[in-house]
Amino acid sequence: MKHFLTTSDFGQQELMNMIKTALVMKKSGWKKSLQDRILSMFFFNPSLRTRLSFITAMDKLGGLAVDLSSGSGGFPFEFKENAVMDKNTIEHVKEAVPVISRMSDAIAVRASELVTASSKSVKVLSWDEVKKDTTIQSFAKYATVPVVNMESNVYHPCQGLGDAMTIMEKLGNPKGKKYVLTWVYHPKALPMATANSQILSACDLGMQVTITYPEGWDLDEDIINTAKARARQTGGSLTLANSQQEAFQDAHIVCAKSWGSIRHYGAWSKEDKIKKGLKHWIVDKQKMDLTDNAYFMHCLPVRRNVEVTDEILDSLSSIVIDEAENRMWIQMAILDYLIGKKDKNHG
Ligand code: CP
């Protein structure tokens, strides 16, 4: 039994096998390898793509996805050890998760505290606290079936691996090609999870990866070091740049993503003031013209003419819809890998 919490828990060959399975399924068809399998899904935050792509992935493979979020208005679970539960929590994950496990073959969880916190209605924990990923790690601790991360505070591995599939679909062999992840302006402080997983996946593909962002918007150092180590294993590289123009030079892929600054973590009004001067961090034609006819990627949802101009998003270089569709195919491959019946061949 193995959880799917971050791609960095998996070997690069294992991940490549999942991508290849997804590409074969998309091109040539698939077997119903998840017949009688049940996926229980918990969304602690909103979702369009992830929710729909897991439901359709399970359905295509003959299984059933149960969305336990519907109408629940949140889950009053207790996560703390030795808690005296005399307030609002009504059930400890120590009971809830084993019960769910008895009736499910896998459990999928979306739990991103920053999405809630950036609404400014909740107390924001320090990055070190948020990084513990308490919700999904508690599910993983008490589950007796695989737990799949549908986006936590720290990782969004299904997005990262789906992006890797899309890159392979568009570029063929991406080894040595230039991948740029660019921070872009967004009116809200967004989680770093997607950016972290996108970088890990691009490094796993052996690409020449550059992350460009304004000073103060560095990603987590531990994750950058892991990505660098994984890039070394594939013959790729990872460099950091504060100049968007320099970073875009000769790129084959430009991926845009916004995230909140660790330096100002939780102090969002302070971050907001500094960020107001960074509205020029947008992807536009002038910058895309510096690239080697790069494809434009974005995980969606996207803020038009804030993160990227209409001209680029509506151009032939934009592959954001394929990228979103591929979430379904890669999740079919991930679920097949984790809980699929093993006596089948795809395609
Ligand atoms: N990209 C992504 O995860 O989209 P949703 O938030 O709509 O699931």
Side-chain angles (χ1 to χ4, degrees), residues 127-240:
W127 170 242
D128 284 342
E129 270 307 306
V130 167
K131 199 176 158 184
K132 289 179 187 164
D133 250 348
T134 303
T135 302
I136 196 148
Q137 290 297 342
S138 302
F139 270 78
K141 182 174 174 184
Y142 297 116
T144 55
V145 295
V147 171
V148 178
N149 184 351
M150 299 195 292
E151 190 181 3
S152 68
N153 294 331
V154 190
Y155 299 109
H156 194 351
C158 299
Q159 184 71 55
L161 206 59
D163 279 17
M165 173 193 173
T166 306
I167 292 167
M168 287 194 63
E169 187 177 48
K170 300 293 175 188
L171 297 184
N173 183 359
K175 256 189 199 296
K177 298 267 172 68
K178 185 170 179 184
Y179 174 98
V180 176
L181 176 72
T182 179
W183 183 89
V184 281
Y185 175 80
H186 192 288
K188 284 171 76 177
L190 298 183
M192 280 165 270
T194 298
N196 290 336
S197 289
Q198 286 169 326
I199 283 305
L200 285 164
S201 285
C203 288
D204 282 336
L205 290 179
M207 300 185 79
Q208 307 299 310
V209 178
T210 299
I211 315 175
T212 182
Y213 52 89
E215 209 183 311
W217 267 263
D218 309 66
L219 290 169
D220 182 82
E221 200 180 344
D222 294 337
I223 295 166
I224 292 295
N225 287 337
T226 302
K228 279 185 177 165
R230 289 178 78 93
R232 279 194 292 275
Q233 287 167 19
T234 53
S237 63
L238 174 56
T239 54
L240 311 177

Side-chain angles (χ1 to χ4, degrees), residues 46-51 110 151 156 159 299-301 327:
S47 166
L48 187 158
R49 279 145 290 272
T50 306
R51 192 190 303 271
R110 168 168 286 197
E151 190 181 3
H156 194 351
Q159 184 71 55
C299 64
L300 305 182
R327 289 288 307 282

